[in-house]
Amino acid sequence: TGPVSSECLGNLVRITLSTEYFVDKYLSFAVVDQSGVAWELDEVMASQCGYTVTYSNWSSIELRASALSCHSHLEKDVFTVTIQIKASHTPDMKNAASHLKSASCRYGLWAPRELLCESNYMEVSVRKEVPQTIKDFIQDEPEDWTLVFPEEKPEEASIWQIVFHQPEEKKAFLVSDAWSAGYGLNTTDTRVLLRIPYTAEQIQLVKDQGITFSAVRSSTFYKQRWVILMVDTALACPVDGVDYTNKTIIWTVPKYNQLLSAGATNFKDVLVEAGVDLHKLSAKEMASRKYVLSNDLNAITVKIPIGAEGGYYKTSVSSGQHGAKYIINMFLEHQWKDNKWGLTKHTIIKEIETPFEQVELAITNNSNLTARLMNVTVGMFLPDVELVNLTIEGVTIAVPEASQHGYLINEIRYANGSKAYVLQVPFDEPSIKKEYLRADMRAHILNVTLAFMIHPTIETFSVPVTAASTAKDAVLPRARGYCDGRNLHLIITHGNVDQNWLPFISDWHLTPEAAQKYNYSLRDNGSHLAVSVPFLSSHVSYEDFHTSGIKASLHLTLKDGNTFANRTDFSVSCRFSPSELIKCLPNGTVVITAVKFVGISDLDISLLVLRDRECKPSLVTEKTATFKFNVNSCGTNRKFNSTTMTYENEILYFKPGSDIPVYQLKFACLYAIKQDVDVRYESKKNPPPSIKPGFGSLALSLKLFKEKSYSDPYQELEYPVVKYLREALYFEVELLQPQDARLELNLNDCWATNSQSQDSLPQWPILINGCANSEDSYATVLHEVDYSSTVKLPQHLKRFEVRMFTFVQGTTLSQE
């Protein structure tokens, strides 16, 4: 009872931990010796010292210990094992809770030789015989004695040396070397023990009746006072021998293995028993479970139906697929007598696991239409499965966070330990996809992937869940249509099913780009889709022609954006005035458009002509042909009356080789002979031009010319230029960029300095506000610039003439 319990099982003790108490905790085990020292138990120590840790089923963890395990205490017929269990919520084992469990078991019926085949080690213990000298000991391999060293010392009984018999050699180990190699050795007052892990180097795999055995041939030497004694410590344990046929497990164990029977004869079975979880089953119990135990001359066979009582199913994964394996912890005890050992007891513990079998998971949809709630049950699962996360639209969400995304998850547990998971999601959750079915029916589709973990192996697998529920909640789009003088209009009000529907006219997808190409209007504000198409366009159908007008129709289809299946159709039809087809211009030009009516499929509209068959359409579309001509051409007739002049013609279509038209459209233009027109007009004076200040980048040049003709400027190499006083200097300023004829260059202020710096002093003004300096003795002369072959923009140039002068200081000439 409680989180830790113990049970005595012959020469084994079992300590059981309840997973309900230790769930989600990290565990460590240690063996406590008589001095109170705790020896941490890992896999290597466990197999060397006679301990086994297993998960027996979904609800418990087992630790089994041999009666002669390391650090156990044996007194007379009672052995005691003390185990320390630490449990922590973190892998570093901080703040671990400690549990101490001590178990004492009585085991006094030791056979002369006992063999134990555990899941992680093999063990043999042999009763010590009356001491005898080496020379009197008879063994099937007498040459073993060549490896014995005569180093007897007066000590208590202890193991001195172990010799392994290999096919190619014999290898001897002293006790310390054997321990270092992973072997377990022990001796008591009455027994010698050898324990070997299945991974040991000296193990051989041998066949017996087609069954593979893990086997070791060994001789153990121990000291008894002044005598060295030897015992045969051979070991053999079956590692296979399990077959699966017709939903039945067949476990076969050969009897009297040759390695264990060397030197023996006269075999006689004393006991053959089998059981589950180290509990022997009576013949009645086995029959009730439909087990069959057969003891033949050479082998023992156990047959167990897969799924029978005593075993359990464990979740498994193969290639990502969910499945299960049936596991049963069998054991077999075989006792026999022979002339060498007397009684031998051979106990085999065998965990049998069936091959992976895929298990289909049921996904049940119990949606509540009234509450508009998806309700999906996924299962059944075995108790070792846990739901850890969900993937919704590519986003992985841990189970505790699922409610924040609208997903409510409940775990249902059943009496047999199995479980199922229930997902509840509102119809209106964004991750629930909607699909229009028919009429007012709409499907609500749940698409989520559930990820599960298997305990304690931490294997994972995923289950895609797709469920659909149908509800009468579809709102279809509706439309209204109207026409103005030149266009047909459709305004569609969106419903809740057409978010992914596309507008088509015939088989032409009406996209914004396509609408712009044909000068159509297409607007969608989320709640309404508006389409406008001109009366004369290739996507309008023309149905009939009466004096009241032409009936034109626009047909629009909404198609599914994924399958392109037709979902619904809308249309608008209006009558347009015939005057929309003809324009009679005041200059005598006529523009007439002919249309192709529905039902005239064999009419090639490009072959339409006027009375003069040389007059053909100037513009042809799929459904229209437009003619443009003067009233005095193309066979046009003219008629007069007192008030009007009428011009008549007709559009004709002739089949090849025929002179009788199959299509005829008469039209006329009327012009008034006399007509008074009132024209209102008024004149306005243009405002005077104004100049507004602005800013910009200008490129200017200033050049000095040699003569008044301004044809030969000074070059760079001719500077500095030497001139006499009052000699003329001819300057030109030009606007280089921008070359805009609307711009005019005006010079405001110009001045001279006696250095290259424009801000240096002294200075003398040459032009002030665009005029010559009135204080100058020799006034600056401005020269007019005229257009010529070399001057394309005279408004961009200004030329002026200055007489040579020098600066003076008082009455002295300046030296600069």
Side-chain angles (χ1 to χ4, degrees), residues 673-733:
I673 296 176
K674 292 182 179 179
Q675 186 175 10
D676 295 329
V677 178
D678 294 329
V679 179
R680 182 180 177 182
Y681 74 96
E682 62 181 32
S683 63
K684 291 184 179 180
K685 293 183 178 180
N686 291 328
S690 62
I691 300 175
K692 294 182 180 181
F695 298 91
S697 297
L698 302 176
L700 300 169
S701 72
L702 175 63
K703 298 178 183 178
L704 178 61
F705 286 79
K706 298 177 180 179
E707 296 177 347
K708 189 176 182 179
S709 62
Y710 288 92
S711 60
D712 186 13
Y714 285 100
Q715 303 301 317
E716 186 176 354
L717 295 177
E718 297 181 81
Y719 286 93
V721 176
V722 178
K723 291 287 184 178
Y724 296 104
L725 287 174
R726 296 191 296 277
E727 192 173 352
L729 298 173
Y730 301 99
F731 290 96
E732 178 186 84
V733 181

Side-chain angles (χ1 to χ4, degrees), residues 377 379-381 383 412-422:
T377 302
M380 301 291 184
F381 295 100
I412 302 175
R413 290 183 177 269
Y414 298 94
N416 63 357
S418 61
K419 64 172 73 172
Y421 289 93
V422 178

Side-chain angles (χ1 to χ4, degrees), residues 498-657:
D498 57 322
Q499 289 79 9
N500 195 35
W501 293 3
L502 306 175
F504 278 78
I505 300 177
S506 299
D507 289 327
W508 179 65
H509 182 196
L510 184 58
T511 64
E513 295 77 17
Q516 185 178 11
K517 176 182 177 182
Y518 286 90
N519 198 27
Y520 298 172
S521 174
L522 177 67
R523 302 181 306 278
D524 193 333
N525 63 4
S527 62
H528 294 81
L529 172 68
V531 179
S532 299
V533 176
F535 160 62
L536 291 176
S537 68
S538 57
H539 296 100
V540 171
S541 299
Y542 306 99
E543 298 177 7
D544 59 39
F545 193 174
H546 295 287
T547 54
S548 60
I550 300 171
K551 184 179 180 182
S553 299
L554 172 65
H555 300 277
L556 186 140
T557 301
L558 294 180
K559 296 189 177 186
D560 189 286
N562 296 319
T563 64
F564 295 101
N566 288 359
R567 288 303 189 183
T568 189
D569 299 290
F570 300 112
S571 64
V572 56
S573 298
C574 299
R575 287 198 176 272
F576 288 84
S577 169
S579 62
E580 294 294 326
L581 298 179
I582 188 169
K583 292 181 180 179
C584 301
L585 302 180
N587 63 358
T589 300
V590 178
V591 180
I592 177 71
T593 299
V595 297
K596 182 178 181 180
F597 291 101
V598 175
I600 310 177
S601 58
D602 59 346
L603 175 65
D604 185 351
I605 202 162
S606 65
L607 299 181
L608 292 174
V609 294
L610 299 179
R611 284 176 180 165
D612 183 347
R613 295 192 187 184
E614 295 300 319
C615 293
K616 298 178 180 179
S618 58
L619 177 65
V620 176
T621 67
E622 184 181 348
K623 295 181 180 179
T624 64
T626 300
F627 296 83
K628 185 177 182 181
F629 62 99
N630 188 273
V631 292
N632 296 318
S633 64
C634 297
T636 306
N637 293 334
R638 183 175 57 184
K639 296 180 179 180
F640 295 91
N641 60 29
S642 59
T643 59
T644 60
M645 182 182 299
T646 303
Y647 294 89
E648 295 179 341
N649 208 323
E650 53 188 345
I651 300 174
L652 305 169
Y653 179 75
F654 299 92
K655 286 187 176 181

Side-chain angles (χ1 to χ4, degrees), residues 4 30 135-137 160 193 284 291 307 345 347 393 407 419 425 435 440 502 728 746-747 791:
V4 184
K135 63 181 179 179
D136 296 327
F137 191 91
W160 173 60
L193 175 136
K284 183 179 179 180
Y291 295 5
K345 179 182 177 182
T347 302
E393 295 183 320
Y407 284 69
K419 64 172 73 172
V425 191
E435 182 178 319
D440 59 349
L502 306 175
N746 288 296
L747 300 182
V791 178

Side-chain angles (χ1 to χ4, degrees), residues 328-483:
I328 186 167
N329 294 307
M330 294 296 298
F331 89 98
L332 179 69
E333 183 178 313
H334 179 207
Q335 297 183 23
W336 74 87
K337 286 185 178 180
D338 57 48
N339 64 343
K340 176 181 177 182
W341 289 99
L343 182 64
T344 296
K345 179 182 177 182
H346 195 183
T347 302
I348 304 170
I349 300 173
K350 184 76 171 178
E351 183 182 77
I352 298 175
E353 183 178 279
T354 61
F356 172 85
E357 184 174 349
Q358 186 172 345
V359 176
E360 294 293 335
L361 290 168
I363 299 175
T364 308
N365 186 359
N366 298 310
S367 295
N368 188 332
L369 299 181
T370 304
R372 294 181 58 78
L373 189 70
M374 301 290 292
N375 190 308
V376 179
T377 302
V378 184
M380 301 291 184
F381 295 100
L382 295 173
D384 57 353
V385 169
E386 179 189 3
L387 176 62
V388 290
N389 62 54
L390 306 81
T391 300
I392 306 168
E393 295 183 320
V395 179
T396 300
I397 300 165
V399 170
E401 302 171 0
S403 60
Q404 301 174 19
H405 297 264
Y407 284 69
L408 183 63
I409 301 173
N410 293 309
E411 181 183 280
I412 302 175
R413 290 183 177 269
Y414 298 94
N416 63 357
S418 61
K419 64 172 73 172
Y421 289 93
V422 178
L423 276 71
Q424 293 181 332
V425 191
F427 281 179
D428 298 322
E429 189 64 34
S431 61
I432 300 296
K433 301 303 178 186
K434 283 76 175 175
E435 182 178 319
Y436 175 64
L437 299 177
R438 62 192 177 277
D440 59 349
M441 304 298 290
R442 190 166 61 147
H444 299 263
I445 302 169
L446 168 68
N447 198 334
V448 61
T449 299
L450 307 181
F452 296 88
M453 179 183 292
I454 304 171
H455 296 285
T457 59
I458 317 299
E459 288 182 282
T460 59
F461 66 94
S462 60
V463 177
V465 176
T466 301
S469 298
T470 303
K472 291 184 176 181
D473 62 354
V475 178
L476 294 174
R478 60 186 187 276
R480 66 181 180 89
Y482 67 94
C483 301

